[in-house]
Amino acid sequence: MAVKDLQLPPLLHSRSSSQFVSNDDSNRGLQRHIANKMSRARLIKTKEREASSYVLSEPAEVTFQKPREKRNYGSEYQCLGPDGIFMSCRSLAKPRFLEQLECLLKRELEALDNTHSSKVQELRLQVYQEVFGYLIEEFKTYKPILSAIKKEYDITLAHLRDQIRDLLPLRAKLVLVSEQSDKKILEMRIQERDEVQALKHECRHLQSIIESMRSQQSALQIQVDHLKEDLATQYQLYRDERDARKLLITRISTMQSTQDTKHDDDNEEDESEDPVVVKMALEVCREDLTKAQVELNRLQAEYSDVVPRRDWDNLNHMHEEILMKLETLQADFNQMKSEYDTLLEVHQKSAPATQQHGSDNQHIVTTPRPNWEQCSDILGGTERCKELFEGQSSQKKLEILLKEISSQNQFFTGHGISCDIPIYLRYEGKVKNLKLKKADVIKVIKEIWRNKMAENEKNDDPRDLQTFLHSYLVEQYKDKAGEWAYSLMESIQNNLEDDLICLFNDVLTGKVDESIYHGQTQLLSHLLKVLIQSDITQCGTLTVSEFSEALRKAFPLKSDQDIEELLAAAQTELKSSGVRISYQTLYTEDTDGRHKEFLSLVKKQATAERLQYISELRAQLEGKGEVDAEQLWVAFKTIDPSLEPENLEWNLSVAFQTKESALQAQALEKEVVLQRLSVAHVKRAGPKG
């Protein structure tokens, strides 16, 4: 029977206190009944959360009473609640209309065909919709709200069906994309496997080549060893042959002289002497001569380095005389030092009294003397200034200064414009002398180096210092570039005792490579960076232990003695033996712009380490007249295994005066190579770590 043809009986009235009325006249009582029922249901739910033993399965009226024993009154009974209060519960019978709907729902669901699993859910939903429709038609009072609820659910289900319908093609597309991605991954894995196989094959091929070259090298080494042995044997034979020839010549000469002497002495003897006796005497003489020659060779070999007794006695006598003179001079020096200390102590005691006396009489006791060292720039340097002013009075010094000033040339004579003249000095005619001071020269040199370093960073192939100096002077001073060039060179020649000026002059004249200056700058910058990193408090000072540890971190190759020298120099320069060292003060310059004792010692130690490095390289190349790039590479790797490839290539390019990528197998003289390396910034690689 179809669901639509089903005739449902009218609702039956239950015997409970709350009754449903089917007509419209009883709507008010029904609404009050539903409200009371909802409030009772909320109360029951609240009690259900607290209760653990009993849960009501049907709606019921609940009344609260005092705890008492359970009693049965027909269909009404009492039960104990979670808070100890008995509740009165009354069971309700299930309505007939509800039973008919449940039977209909159960029958229709059992009649569905479960073979098509894809449509079962839609059919079940349709059954529930029809049953819900009957329910709406029966409860006319709630029909609007229930219809609205059903409509919203239908709209939502329709929307969800549309979304599912739109997503089905995307699912197929997703499967297709997944298959394509798997296929591409498989192809890439196959290609990668082929590449790996090719690389492995190439690696095995290269290993076989290396093994063959090693075997070839071993064979060549064996041949070299055999040739050395043959050469030593041949040399021994030649030496024996030479000694034999010398002995033979000596014997012949001795025999001739003996025969002549005997012939002169025995003119009266009988010439018919027995030849057998003469032959025996000759053999005895030859044996004696051989023994004498052997003994002479032994004495020469054993006593070749022995000093004669006469020379030893003379040297010993001279040594004793020098020791006696030294002791005498030391005694005189100690006596003079004690007298000087005594005079100094007396002077220190009398100086305060003299100053107090002068202040009382309101006049100056001593006459202030001028600082004649300030005239060193005019007189051509500190050394020449000391030479001119030594032992002279103030009046005489003033006369010498005026004479030197008046005798100085106001103009230079240009050297010409030939190719053998440096480009920055190619001028003709008279050039004005600007008479630059030492401070001005140092300032200009620092500015030149600053611009030169900026150009080196921008260009891969920078210009040499001479060309750059010419372009710098022309750009800065234009028409006065010649005046600055000649004045600058004169001041440089007059102040070569300054380290910065001397290094600039050596680089400009080609005595040393430009990398020396850049290496010193990088060295000092690296040290300052390490000191700043060690200053955790950022107060500008470090303790002695922290300063020493920072020096070891910055210079890991230095010995403990070098570190102690640097620490002592820093304390001496700061005139402080306290527990903290102001490392920022060590980087200040004096009035002439020069570094002080500590930084000068750092650069001095770096120069000594570079020369020691070159000495080890010279010892490694001992016995070789000419050196090629491969031999020099092996020598560097032998004395410095941790040397990085780029630094090694740069060392080779400096040694052979060519670019790193253009090194050839040509050989150069060993001394030429070592000379080029000694004037460049070649340093030992630090420990890796």
Side-chain angles (χ1 to χ4, degrees):
M1 182 176 76
V3 179
K4 294 182 179 180
D5 299 337
L6 180 65
Q7 296 295 329
L8 297 175
L11 289 173
L12 298 178
H13 296 281
S14 63
R15 287 177 296 178
S16 61
S17 61
S18 300
Q19 298 179 355
F20 294 96
V21 182
S22 60
N23 52 17
D24 297 336
D25 297 336
S26 61
N27 286 340
R28 296 179 182 177
L30 182 60
Q31 291 176 358
R32 287 194 300 270
H33 173 73
I34 292 172
N36 294 332
K37 193 172 183 180
M38 291 176 64
S39 62
R40 291 169 185 169
R42 283 196 296 269
L43 179 60
I44 291 171
K45 289 181 180 179
T46 304
K47 294 299 181 178
E48 283 178 352
R49 294 191 187 98
E50 300 176 358
S52 60
S53 61
Y54 183 79
V55 179
L56 292 176
S57 61
E58 296 292 340
E61 294 182 6
V62 181
T63 59
F64 298 96
Q65 297 178 2
K66 292 184 180 180
R68 61 181 178 179
E69 296 179 357
K70 181 177 180 182
R71 300 176 184 177
N72 293 329
Y73 298 94
S75 61
E76 184 177 343
Y77 61 91
Q78 294 179 348
C79 58
L80 185 62
D83 54 353
I85 301 175
F86 283 97
M87 297 183 295
S88 177
C89 302
R90 209 177 271 178
S91 62
L92 298 176
K94 185 179 295 186
R96 184 178 179 184
F97 179 68
L98 177 59
E99 292 178 353
Q100 292 176 356
L101 288 178
E102 289 179 350
C103 292
L104 176 63
L105 180 62
K106 182 177 181 182
R107 186 170 58 253
E108 291 296 330
L109 292 177
E110 291 176 351
L112 293 177
D113 187 8
N114 295 330
T115 57
H116 300 285
S117 59
S118 61
K119 297 183 178 180
V120 169
Q121 189 63 32
E122 294 183 1
L123 295 176
R124 289 173 60 88
L125 180 61
Q126 184 178 359
V127 172
Y128 278 100
Q129 287 178 347
E130 292 177 357
V131 172
F132 191 64
Y134 290 140
L135 186 63
I136 293 174
E137 293 296 332
E138 182 66 24
F139 293 96
K140 299 184 181 297
T141 304
Y142 302 98
K143 183 176 180 179
I145 185 66
L146 295 176
S147 299
I149 293 172
K150 180 182 178 183
K151 182 179 178 181
E152 289 298 326
Y153 272 99
D154 292 340
I155 293 173
T156 304
L157 288 174
H159 177 67
L160 294 176
R161 288 193 188 98
D162 294 338
Q163 286 187 347
I164 293 173
R165 192 180 302 109
D166 294 338
L167 291 176
L168 286 176
L170 294 178
R171 181 179 180 182
K173 187 175 181 180
L174 179 62
V175 173
L176 179 60
V177 171
S178 177
E179 292 178 355
Q180 292 178 355
S181 300
D182 294 339
K183 185 178 180 181
K184 287 183 180 179
I185 292 172
L186 183 60
E187 292 177 355
M188 292 177 67
R189 286 180 178 176
I190 294 173
Q191 184 180 1
E192 183 181 5
R193 184 167 60 250
D194 295 339
E195 292 180 356
V196 169
Q197 293 295 334
L199 291 175
K200 287 183 178 179
H201 179 70
E202 184 179 358
C203 181
R204 287 194 294 270
H205 177 64
L206 293 176
Q207 286 180 353
S208 62
I209 293 175
I210 291 172
E211 292 296 333
S212 62
M213 293 181 68
R214 286 179 178 174
S215 60
Q216 184 179 1
Q217 183 181 4
S218 301
L220 292 175
Q221 186 64 35
I222 293 172
Q223 292 182 5
V224 169
D225 295 337
H226 286 307
L227 291 175
K228 286 182 178 179
E229 293 177 358
D230 295 341
L231 180 62
T233 305
Q234 193 69 23
Y235 178 73
Q236 184 67 29
L237 293 175
Y238 286 153
R239 189 174 62 182
D240 295 342
E241 182 69 20
R242 184 195 62 183
D243 295 340
R245 289 178 179 273
K246 287 183 178 180
L247 289 175
L248 181 59
I249 292 172
T250 304
R251 290 176 182 176
I252 293 173
S253 300
T254 305
M255 289 174 60
Q256 289 179 355
S257 60
T258 304
Q259 289 179 0
D260 294 339
T261 304
K262 288 183 178 181
H263 180 71
D264 295 336
D265 294 339
D266 301 331
N267 286 329
E268 297 179 357
E269 294 182 358
D270 189 4
E271 295 182 359
S272 60
E273 189 176 358
D274 190 358
V276 178
V277 177
V278 174
K279 187 176 181 180
M280 292 177 63
L282 179 59
E283 291 178 356
V284 172
C285 290
R286 288 177 178 175
E287 292 177 358
D288 294 340
L289 181 61
T290 302
K291 293 180 180 180
Q293 186 66 33
V294 171
E295 184 67 18
L296 179 60
N297 292 335
R298 185 183 65 79
L299 293 175
Q300 288 179 352
E302 292 180 356
Y303 297 96
S304 58
D305 298 332
V306 177
V307 179
R309 182 70 180 182
R310 179 179 60 259
D311 297 342
W312 168 260
D313 293 337
N314 293 334
L315 292 174
N316 193 17
H317 181 67
M318 292 174 61
H319 178 67
E320 291 177 355
E321 290 181 353
I322 291 173
L323 285 178
M324 292 177 63
K325 291 180 180 179
L326 179 62
E327 292 176 357
T328 304
L329 293 174
Q330 186 66 33
D332 296 340
F333 172 76
N334 293 334
Q335 183 178 0
M336 293 180 64
K337 186 175 182 303
S338 62
E339 294 176 357
Y340 171 76
D341 293 338
T342 303
L343 293 174
L344 183 61
E345 185 178 357
V346 172
H347 174 70
Q348 291 177 353
K349 291 180 179 179
S350 60
T354 305
Q355 293 177 0
Q356 183 67 28
H357 178 72
S359 61
D360 294 338
N361 292 281
Q362 299 296 327
H363 70 277
I364 301 175
V365 179
T366 59
T367 304
R369 300 296 179 184
N371 186 8
W372 297 102
E373 294 181 357
Q374 295 179 355
C375 306
S376 58
D377 294 336
I378 301 175
L379 299 178
T382 306
E383 298 295 334
R384 191 167 184 272
C385 180
K386 291 181 179 180
E387 182 180 354
L388 292 175
F389 288 165
E390 186 176 4
Q392 304 293 338
S393 61
S394 299
Q395 182 65 27
K396 189 64 176 178
K397 290 179 181 179
L398 179 60
E399 294 176 359
I400 294 173
L401 178 61
L402 294 175
K403 183 178 179 181
E404 288 292 329
I405 293 174
S406 61
S407 63
Q408 283 184 350
N409 295 327
Q410 300 296 326
F411 295 93
F412 297 106
T413 302
H415 295 167
I417 57 174
S418 59
C419 297
D420 56 344
I421 302 298
I423 185 173
Y424 55 90
L425 295 178
R426 293 178 185 175
Y427 294 94
E428 292 181 337
K430 296 292 184 179
V431 181
K432 184 179 179 181
N433 186 2
L434 300 178
K435 299 180 181 179
L436 299 177
K437 296 182 180 180
K438 183 179 180 180
D440 298 333
V441 174
I442 293 177
K443 182 178 180 181
V444 172
I445 289 176
K446 289 184 177 180
E447 185 66 24
I448 292 172
W449 278 125
R450 192 179 300 110
N451 289 273
K452 185 68 170 63
M453 293 175 66
E455 181 185 273
N456 293 348
E457 293 178 357
K458 295 180 181 178
N459 301 329
D460 295 335
D461 189 12
R463 297 174 291 177
D464 58 356
L465 188 58
Q466 292 187 359
T467 307
F468 179 80
L469 177 61
H470 175 66
S471 62
Y472 173 80
L473 295 176
V474 171
E475 181 180 356
Q476 292 290 329
Y477 306 107
K478 297 179 175 57
D479 297 338
K480 296 183 179 181
E483 299 176 1
W484 275 90
Y486 277 86
S487 302
L488 184 65
M489 294 310 300
E490 184 194 29
S491 299
I492 287 175
Q493 296 300 322
N494 293 335
N495 296 279
L496 289 178
E497 71 277 0
D498 187 87
D499 296 338
L500 179 63
I501 297 177
C502 182
L503 179 59
F504 181 81
N505 181 69
D506 292 341
V507 175
L508 190 63
T509 55
K511 294 181 180 180
V512 298
D513 190 71
E514 183 180 335
S515 60
I516 295 292
Y517 174 79
H518 299 310
Q520 291 182 358
T521 305
Q522 293 174 1
L523 181 67
L524 300 183
S525 300
H526 173 66
L527 176 58
L528 180 59
K529 181 179 179 181
V530 174
L531 292 174
I532 293 175
Q533 291 176 354
S534 301
D535 186 9
I536 302 176
T537 59
Q538 298 181 356
C539 60
T541 60
L542 295 173
T543 62
V544 176
S545 60
E546 290 175 347
F547 187 77
S548 178
E549 187 65 25
L551 291 177
R552 296 181 189 278
K553 182 179 179 181
F555 307 122
L557 298 179
K558 288 187 181 296
S559 62
D560 295 338
Q561 183 179 359
D562 294 338
I563 299 296
E564 292 296 332
E565 289 181 0
L566 292 175
L567 181 60
Q571 292 177 340
T572 303
E573 180 179 331
L574 298 176
K575 297 180 180 179
S576 173
S577 59
V579 294
R580 302 194 70 85
I581 295 177
S582 178
Y583 62 88
Q584 294 180 352
T585 309
L586 298 175
Y587 276 80
T588 58
E589 299 176 346
D590 58 8
T591 56
D592 292 335
R594 296 182 301 178
H595 290 142
K596 296 183 181 179
E597 182 179 355
F598 175 74
L599 296 183
S600 299
L601 181 59
V602 171
K603 294 188 288 186
K604 182 179 178 181
Q605 289 185 358
T607 303
E609 291 171 359
R610 186 180 76 254
L611 296 179
Q612 177 64 27
Y613 190 46
I614 299 300
S615 300
E616 294 181 9
L617 184 63
R618 182 187 299 274
Q620 187 65 28
L621 297 175
E622 186 69 27
K624 296 181 180 180
E626 293 184 348
V627 179
D628 57 10
E630 183 178 0
Q631 293 174 345
L632 188 59
W633 186 89
V634 173
F636 269 116
K637 295 299 290 184
T638 302
I639 65 174
D640 193 3
S642 60
L643 188 63
E644 297 180 355
E646 54 271 16
N647 294 336
L648 180 56
E649 292 293 336
W650 184 85
N651 293 345
L652 296 179
S653 64
V654 170
F656 292 95
Q657 296 293 315
T658 183
K659 294 183 178 180
E660 300 176 2
S661 58
L663 290 174
Q664 300 178 357
Q666 60 181 354
L668 293 177
E669 291 290 336
K670 180 185 69 174
E671 295 300 328
V672 174
V673 172
L674 294 176
Q675 176 62 27
R676 291 175 179 177
L677 292 174
S678 62
V679 297
H681 182 60
V682 179
K683 64 177 183 177
R684 189 185 301 275
K688 293 184 178 181

